[in-house]
Amino acid sequence: MSQASAERVLISADQIRKRIDEMAASIVADYPEGPLYLVSVLKGAFIFVADLARALKRSGVRIEFMGISSYGKAKTSSGQVKVTRDLDVNIEGQNVLIVEDIVDSGITLSYLTRLLQQRHPKTLEIATLLDKPERRIKPVKIKYAGFQIPDEFVVGYGLDYAEDYRNLSDIRVLTGAD
Ligand code: PRP
């Protein structure tokens, strides 16, 4: 049996910090006032939303969580999406920004945008830290993307492999996993 490890840093903590500041500045420019609902997708996006929210230098930022699962323990998407935790606020008429750690096949986000659109928000956009365009199966319109990355399995900064590595402060490439 092979041993998984995450030695190679793809994006450093410092690069992440700088990029989040840039993304936050664009978001504040686009949404200068009024409530802004960050809808964060658990679990992977929990660190990104915490840092992005603190970088948003404006009032009225609301932080909400949803649970969506499509991977289980496998490295690739099963294509099965399920809501494991729904919002407990009404987003009708609100500016909503979905905050994700990674868009890979696009299956999760295309499902989620369809679901939230049915609740009639005023605006609905997507911010993701990582974008893996090579892997896209379902088209997804991303408004704010931190980094485009190659088709490698990455962990850290919220992203896991079988629930490990989420606590790394940088993004690393996983090798040797089954
Ligand atoms: C990951 C990630 C995204 C999704 C992206 O979540 O956080 O939500 O996969 O992949 P896709 O574009 O192929 O749908 P995962 O299901 O691994 O759960 P987690 O966030 O709890 O780790």
Side-chain angles (χ1 to χ4, degrees):
M1 202 179 100
S2 59
Q3 190 70 46
S5 74
E7 305 299 327
R8 181 156 67 88
V9 175
L10 187 67
I11 307 170
S12 71
D14 198 45
Q15 287 174 293
I16 295 170
R17 209 167 15 249
K18 287 184 178 136
R19 187 70 186 111
I20 288 177
D21 282 345
E22 292 171 357
M23 294 173 82
S26 307
I27 293 167
V28 169
D30 292 346
Y31 304 89
E33 59 198 12
L36 174 61
Y37 283 79
L38 304 183
V39 171
S40 167
V41 183
L42 293 169
K43 299 177 191 170
F46 80 106
I47 294 180
F48 177 45
V49 76
D51 284 347
L52 181 67
R54 283 177 291 185
L56 291 172
K57 304 300 181 199
R58 80 196 284 286
S59 59
V61 175
R62 314 273 164 84
I63 302 165
E64 302 293 338
F65 293 96
M66 280 191 81
I68 306 272
S69 180
S70 66
Y71 275 26
K73 288 190 174 177
K75 272 179 71 183
T76 52
S77 176
S78 61
Q80 299 267 327
V81 183
K82 73 175 186 213
V83 174
T84 55
R85 183 198 190 280
D86 205 343
L87 290 176
D88 42 33
V89 289
N90 182 3
I91 57 164
E92 186 175 347
Q94 301 293 347
N95 287 314
V96 176
L97 187 58
I98 298 173
V99 178
E100 258 291 20
D101 51 331
I102 187 165
V103 182
D104 193 324
S105 68
I107 290 170
T108 306
L109 261 290
S110 67
Y111 172 85
L112 184 60
T113 47
R114 230 177 317 118
L115 182 76
L116 295 185
Q117 208 57 265
Q118 291 165 4
R119 300 178 186 182
H120 307 292
K122 182 176 173 198
T123 63
L124 181 65
E125 301 288 353
I126 295 169
T128 184
L129 182 66
L130 305 176
D131 178 17
K132 241 191 222 181
E134 277 172 59
R135 301 252 312 167
R136 203 74 88 247
I137 294 171
K138 297 253 184 186
V140 174
K141 201 172 119 270
I142 300 170
K143 187 156 187 195
Y144 309 97
F147 301 91
Q148 289 206 341
I149 61 167
D151 184 13
E152 293 186 286
F153 195 90
V154 290
V155 294
Y157 200 77
L159 288 97
D160 76 308
Y161 171 61
E163 296 302 327
D164 272 346
Y165 306 108
R166 291 195 200 272
N167 61 320
L168 295 175
S169 32
D170 42 26
I171 307 276
R172 299 184 186 205
V173 174
L174 187 80
T175 53
D178 296 322

mmCIF file of all heavy atoms in Angstrom, residues 130-156:
data_model
loop_
_atom_site.group_PDB
_atom_site.id
_atom_site.type_symbol
_atom_site.label_atom_id
_atom_site.label_comp_id
_atom_site.label_asym_id
_atom_site.label_seq_id
_atom_site.Cartn_x
_atom_site.Cartn_y
_atom_site.Cartn_z
ATOM 1 N N LEU A 130 -9.521 28.466 -5.624
ATOM 2 C CA LEU A 130 -8.838 27.683 -6.661
ATOM 3 C C LEU A 130 -9.793 27.302 -7.778
ATOM 4 O O LEU A 130 -10.958 26.991 -7.529
ATOM 5 C CB LEU A 130 -8.253 26.398 -6.050
ATOM 6 C CG LEU A 130 -7.318 26.562 -4.855
ATOM 7 C CD1 LEU A 130 -6.912 25.196 -4.313
ATOM 8 C CD2 LEU A 130 -6.087 27.376 -5.225
ATOM 9 N N ASP A 131 -9.253 27.295 -8.987
ATOM 10 C CA ASP A 131 -10.036 26.914 -10.162
ATOM 11 C C ASP A 131 -9.185 25.949 -10.982
ATOM 12 O O ASP A 131 -8.039 26.242 -11.308
ATOM 13 C CB ASP A 131 -10.346 28.189 -10.977
ATOM 14 C CG ASP A 131 -11.117 27.883 -12.247
ATOM 15 O OD1 ASP A 131 -11.689 26.788 -12.359
ATOM 16 O OD2 ASP A 131 -11.142 28.770 -13.140
ATOM 17 N N LYS A 132 -9.772 24.773 -11.242
ATOM 18 C CA LYS A 132 -9.074 23.758 -12.048
ATOM 19 C C LYS A 132 -9.840 23.605 -13.362
ATOM 20 O O LYS A 132 -10.627 22.664 -13.520
ATOM 21 C CB LYS A 132 -9.153 22.429 -11.285
ATOM 22 C CG LYS A 132 -7.837 21.826 -10.899
ATOM 23 C CD LYS A 132 -8.108 20.406 -10.418
ATOM 24 C CE LYS A 132 -7.294 20.088 -9.210
ATOM 25 N NZ LYS A 132 -7.538 18.697 -8.746
ATOM 26 N N PRO A 133 -9.644 24.524 -14.308
ATOM 27 C CA PRO A 133 -10.499 24.528 -15.516
ATOM 28 C C PRO A 133 -10.396 23.266 -16.367
ATOM 29 O O PRO A 133 -11.376 22.882 -17.003
ATOM 30 C CB PRO A 133 -10.007 25.769 -16.292
ATOM 31 C CG PRO A 133 -8.742 26.199 -15.661
ATOM 32 C CD PRO A 133 -8.675 25.624 -14.288
ATOM 33 N N GLU A 134 -9.232 22.620 -16.353
ATOM 34 C CA GLU A 134 -9.051 21.393 -17.167
ATOM 35 C C GLU A 134 -10.040 20.289 -16.806
ATOM 36 O O GLU A 134 -10.312 19.410 -17.616
ATOM 37 C CB GLU A 134 -7.658 20.791 -16.919
ATOM 38 C CG GLU A 134 -6.546 21.399 -17.713
ATOM 39 C CD GLU A 134 -5.214 20.833 -17.224
ATOM 40 O OE1 GLU A 134 -5.017 19.600 -17.265
ATOM 41 O OE2 GLU A 134 -4.380 21.638 -16.777
ATOM 42 N N ARG A 135 -10.525 20.298 -15.584
ATOM 43 C CA ARG A 135 -11.367 19.208 -15.100
ATOM 44 C C ARG A 135 -12.864 19.457 -15.275
ATOM 45 O O ARG A 135 -13.684 18.621 -14.921
ATOM 46 C CB ARG A 135 -11.095 18.982 -13.611
ATOM 47 C CG ARG A 135 -9.669 18.641 -13.323
ATOM 48 C CD ARG A 135 -9.517 17.223 -12.960
ATOM 49 N NE ARG A 135 -10.490 16.832 -11.960
ATOM 50 C CZ ARG A 135 -10.738 15.580 -11.643
ATOM 51 N NH1 ARG A 135 -10.113 14.616 -12.275
ATOM 52 N NH2 ARG A 135 -11.614 15.295 -10.710
ATOM 53 N N ARG A 136 -13.195 20.604 -15.862
ATOM 54 C CA ARG A 136 -14.605 20.993 -15.873
ATOM 55 C C ARG A 136 -15.472 20.043 -16.697
ATOM 56 O O ARG A 136 -15.146 19.714 -17.831
ATOM 57 C CB ARG A 136 -14.743 22.424 -16.421
ATOM 58 C CG ARG A 136 -16.013 23.087 -15.966
ATOM 59 C CD ARG A 136 -15.990 23.512 -14.483
ATOM 60 N NE ARG A 136 -15.435 24.839 -14.347
ATOM 61 C CZ ARG A 136 -14.285 25.103 -13.749
ATOM 62 N NH1 ARG A 136 -13.548 24.147 -13.219
ATOM 63 N NH2 ARG A 136 -13.844 26.324 -13.655
ATOM 64 N N ILE A 137 -16.547 19.612 -16.100
ATOM 65 C CA ILE A 137 -17.570 18.819 -16.792
ATOM 66 C C ILE A 137 -18.813 19.681 -16.983
ATOM 67 O O ILE A 137 -19.403 19.712 -18.043
ATOM 68 C CB ILE A 137 -17.930 17.548 -15.971
ATOM 69 C CG1 ILE A 137 -16.733 16.602 -15.899
ATOM 70 C CG2 ILE A 137 -19.138 16.841 -16.574
ATOM 71 C CD1 ILE A 137 -16.922 15.440 -14.932
ATOM 72 N N LYS A 138 -19.179 20.396 -15.919
ATOM 73 C CA LYS A 138 -20.342 21.300 -15.979
ATOM 74 C C LYS A 138 -19.838 22.731 -16.006
ATOM 75 O O LYS A 138 -19.016 23.118 -15.157
ATOM 76 C CB LYS A 138 -21.206 21.136 -14.718
ATOM 77 C CG LYS A 138 -21.795 19.780 -14.559
ATOM 78 C CD LYS A 138 -23.263 19.825 -14.838
ATOM 79 C CE LYS A 138 -23.883 18.457 -14.575
ATOM 80 N NZ LYS A 138 -25.268 18.423 -14.974
ATOM 81 N N PRO A 139 -20.326 23.558 -16.951
ATOM 82 C CA PRO A 139 -19.878 24.956 -16.989
ATOM 83 C C PRO A 139 -20.336 25.733 -15.753
ATOM 84 O O PRO A 139 -21.459 25.538 -15.280
ATOM 85 C CB PRO A 139 -20.532 25.507 -18.260
ATOM 86 C CG PRO A 139 -21.632 24.573 -18.587
ATOM 87 C CD PRO A 139 -21.308 23.243 -17.985
ATOM 88 N N VAL A 140 -19.434 26.560 -15.240
ATOM 89 C CA VAL A 140 -19.728 27.361 -14.053
ATOM 90 C C VAL A 140 -19.185 28.761 -14.308
ATOM 91 O O VAL A 140 -18.057 28.909 -14.777
ATOM 92 C CB VAL A 140 -19.026 26.766 -12.804
ATOM 93 C CG1 VAL A 140 -19.199 27.672 -11.606
ATOM 94 C CG2 VAL A 140 -19.541 25.381 -12.479
ATOM 95 N N LYS A 141 -19.994 29.774 -14.011
ATOM 96 C CA LYS A 141 -19.548 31.153 -14.223
ATOM 97 C C LYS A 141 -18.939 31.681 -12.920
ATOM 98 O O LYS A 141 -19.644 31.949 -11.956
ATOM 99 C CB LYS A 141 -20.744 32.011 -14.653
ATOM 100 C CG LYS A 141 -20.351 33.278 -15.361
ATOM 101 C CD LYS A 141 -21.580 33.976 -15.918
ATOM 102 C CE LYS A 141 -21.779 35.351 -15.330
ATOM 103 N NZ LYS A 141 -22.572 35.509 -14.135
ATOM 104 N N ILE A 142 -17.615 31.794 -12.922
ATOM 105 C CA ILE A 142 -16.917 32.234 -11.707
ATOM 106 C C ILE A 142 -16.592 33.717 -11.832
ATOM 107 O O ILE A 142 -15.966 34.137 -12.806
ATOM 108 C CB ILE A 142 -15.604 31.441 -11.534
ATOM 109 C CG1 ILE A 142 -15.895 29.945 -11.409
ATOM 110 C CG2 ILE A 142 -14.824 31.951 -10.330
ATOM 111 C CD1 ILE A 142 -14.670 29.069 -11.473
ATOM 112 N N LYS A 143 -17.028 34.508 -10.861
ATOM 113 C CA LYS A 143 -16.744 35.944 -10.936
ATOM 114 C C LYS A 143 -15.380 36.282 -10.346
ATOM 115 O O LYS A 143 -14.668 37.130 -10.859
ATOM 116 C CB LYS A 143 -17.843 36.743 -10.233
ATOM 117 C CG LYS A 143 -17.671 38.237 -10.426
ATOM 118 C CD LYS A 143 -18.955 38.995 -10.280
ATOM 119 C CE LYS A 143 -18.784 40.453 -10.647
ATOM 120 N NZ LYS A 143 -19.903 41.261 -10.183
ATOM 121 N N TYR A 144 -15.032 35.642 -9.240
ATOM 122 C CA TYR A 144 -13.747 35.923 -8.583
ATOM 123 C C TYR A 144 -12.999 34.608 -8.389
ATOM 124 O O TYR A 144 -13.473 33.739 -7.651
ATOM 125 C CB TYR A 144 -13.961 36.579 -7.218
ATOM 126 C CG TYR A 144 -14.891 37.765 -7.259
ATOM 127 C CD1 TYR A 144 -16.244 37.621 -6.943
ATOM 128 C CD2 TYR A 144 -14.424 39.027 -7.631
ATOM 129 C CE1 TYR A 144 -17.105 38.701 -6.985
ATOM 130 C CE2 TYR A 144 -15.283 40.113 -7.680
ATOM 131 C CZ TYR A 144 -16.620 39.939 -7.360
ATOM 132 O OH TYR A 144 -17.473 41.009 -7.414
ATOM 133 N N ALA A 145 -11.859 34.468 -9.042
ATOM 134 C CA ALA A 145 -11.050 33.253 -8.874
ATOM 135 C C ALA A 145 -9.669 33.658 -8.363
ATOM 136 O O ALA A 145 -9.057 34.599 -8.885
ATOM 137 C CB ALA A 145 -10.937 32.505 -10.193
ATOM 138 N N GLY A 146 -9.209 32.974 -7.334
ATOM 139 C CA GLY A 146 -7.901 33.302 -6.764
ATOM 140 C C GLY A 146 -6.762 32.821 -7.642
ATOM 141 O O GLY A 146 -5.938 33.616 -8.113
ATOM 142 N N PHE A 147 -6.727 31.527 -7.906
ATOM 143 C CA PHE A 147 -5.631 30.928 -8.681
ATOM 144 C C PHE A 147 -6.195 29.850 -9.596
ATOM 145 O O PHE A 147 -6.996 29.027 -9.155
ATOM 146 C CB PHE A 147 -4.615 30.245 -7.752
ATOM 147 C CG PHE A 147 -3.982 31.151 -6.748
ATOM 148 C CD1 PHE A 147 -4.556 31.314 -5.483
ATOM 149 C CD2 PHE A 147 -2.815 31.842 -7.041
ATOM 150 C CE1 PHE A 147 -3.981 32.150 -4.537
ATOM 151 C CE2 PHE A 147 -2.225 32.676 -6.101
ATOM 152 C CZ PHE A 147 -2.797 32.833 -4.846
ATOM 153 N N GLN A 148 -5.734 29.842 -10.851
ATOM 154 C CA GLN A 148 -6.013 28.707 -11.726
ATOM 155 C C GLN A 148 -4.879 27.718 -11.504
ATOM 156 O O GLN A 148 -3.705 28.096 -11.536
ATOM 157 C CB GLN A 148 -6.044 29.156 -13.180
ATOM 158 C CG GLN A 148 -7.277 29.985 -13.489
ATOM 159 C CD GLN A 148 -7.679 29.929 -14.940
ATOM 160 O OE1 GLN A 148 -6.880 29.570 -15.792
ATOM 161 N NE2 GLN A 148 -8.912 30.293 -15.235
ATOM 162 N N ILE A 149 -5.244 26.470 -11.278
ATOM 163 C CA ILE A 149 -4.208 25.477 -10.997
ATOM 164 C C ILE A 149 -4.300 24.315 -11.979
ATOM 165 O O ILE A 149 -5.364 24.047 -12.539
ATOM 166 C CB ILE A 149 -4.289 24.955 -9.539
ATOM 167 C CG1 ILE A 149 -5.636 24.275 -9.271
ATOM 168 C CG2 ILE A 149 -4.021 26.073 -8.534
ATOM 169 C CD1 ILE A 149 -5.663 23.476 -7.974
ATOM 170 N N PRO A 150 -3.182 23.602 -12.172
ATOM 171 C CA PRO A 150 -3.203 22.439 -13.075
ATOM 172 C C PRO A 150 -3.946 21.265 -12.444
ATOM 173 O O PRO A 150 -4.313 21.309 -11.266
ATOM 174 C CB PRO A 150 -1.716 22.101 -13.253
ATOM 175 C CG PRO A 150 -1.032 22.693 -12.073
ATOM 176 C CD PRO A 150 -1.845 23.885 -11.647
ATOM 177 N N ASP A 151 -4.134 20.221 -13.238
ATOM 178 C CA ASP A 151 -4.906 19.066 -12.784
ATOM 179 C C ASP A 151 -4.065 18.173 -11.867
ATOM 180 O O ASP A 151 -3.629 17.089 -12.247
ATOM 181 C CB ASP A 151 -5.425 18.283 -13.995
ATOM 182 C CG ASP A 151 -6.321 17.136 -13.570
ATOM 183 O OD1 ASP A 151 -6.717 17.103 -12.391
ATOM 184 O OD2 ASP A 151 -6.600 16.275 -14.421
ATOM 185 N N GLU A 152 -3.827 18.656 -10.673
ATOM 186 C CA GLU A 152 -3.121 17.876 -9.658
ATOM 187 C C GLU A 152 -3.999 17.872 -8.417
ATOM 188 O O GLU A 152 -4.746 18.816 -8.181
ATOM 189 C CB GLU A 152 -1.776 18.507 -9.328
ATOM 190 C CG GLU A 152 -0.808 18.442 -10.491
ATOM 191 C CD GLU A 152 0.579 18.935 -10.144
ATOM 192 O OE1 GLU A 152 0.742 20.152 -10.013
ATOM 193 O OE2 GLU A 152 1.484 18.097 -10.009
ATOM 194 N N PHE A 153 -3.876 16.832 -7.613
ATOM 195 C CA PHE A 153 -4.711 16.758 -6.406
ATOM 196 C C PHE A 153 -4.073 17.599 -5.317
ATOM 197 O O PHE A 153 -2.949 17.327 -4.892
ATOM 198 C CB PHE A 153 -4.899 15.318 -5.939
ATOM 199 C CG PHE A 153 -6.023 15.189 -4.946
ATOM 200 C CD1 PHE A 153 -7.321 14.941 -5.374
ATOM 201 C CD2 PHE A 153 -5.801 15.369 -3.589
ATOM 202 C CE1 PHE A 153 -8.382 14.867 -4.468
ATOM 203 C CE2 PHE A 153 -6.846 15.292 -2.674
ATOM 204 C CZ PHE A 153 -8.133 15.036 -3.124
ATOM 205 N N VAL A 154 -4.781 18.632 -4.876
ATOM 206 C CA VAL A 154 -4.204 19.545 -3.895
ATOM 207 C C VAL A 154 -4.917 19.449 -2.547
ATOM 208 O O VAL A 154 -6.107 19.144 -2.485
ATOM 209 C CB VAL A 154 -4.214 21.014 -4.405
ATOM 210 C CG1 VAL A 154 -3.218 21.205 -5.538
ATOM 211 C CG2 VAL A 154 -5.610 21.452 -4.821
ATOM 212 N N VAL A 155 -4.143 19.709 -1.522
ATOM 213 C CA VAL A 155 -4.665 19.680 -0.150
ATOM 214 C C VAL A 155 -4.144 20.899 0.603
ATOM 215 O O VAL A 155 -3.226 21.576 0.158
ATOM 216 C CB VAL A 155 -4.233 18.380 0.592
ATOM 217 C CG1 VAL A 155 -4.858 17.151 -0.035
ATOM 218 C CG2 VAL A 155 -2.705 18.261 0.660
ATOM 219 N N GLY A 156 -4.735 21.138 1.757
ATOM 220 C CA GLY A 156 -4.291 22.238 2.617
ATOM 221 C C GLY A 156 -5.213 23.433 2.514
ATOM 222 O O GLY A 156 -6.062 23.514 1.620
#
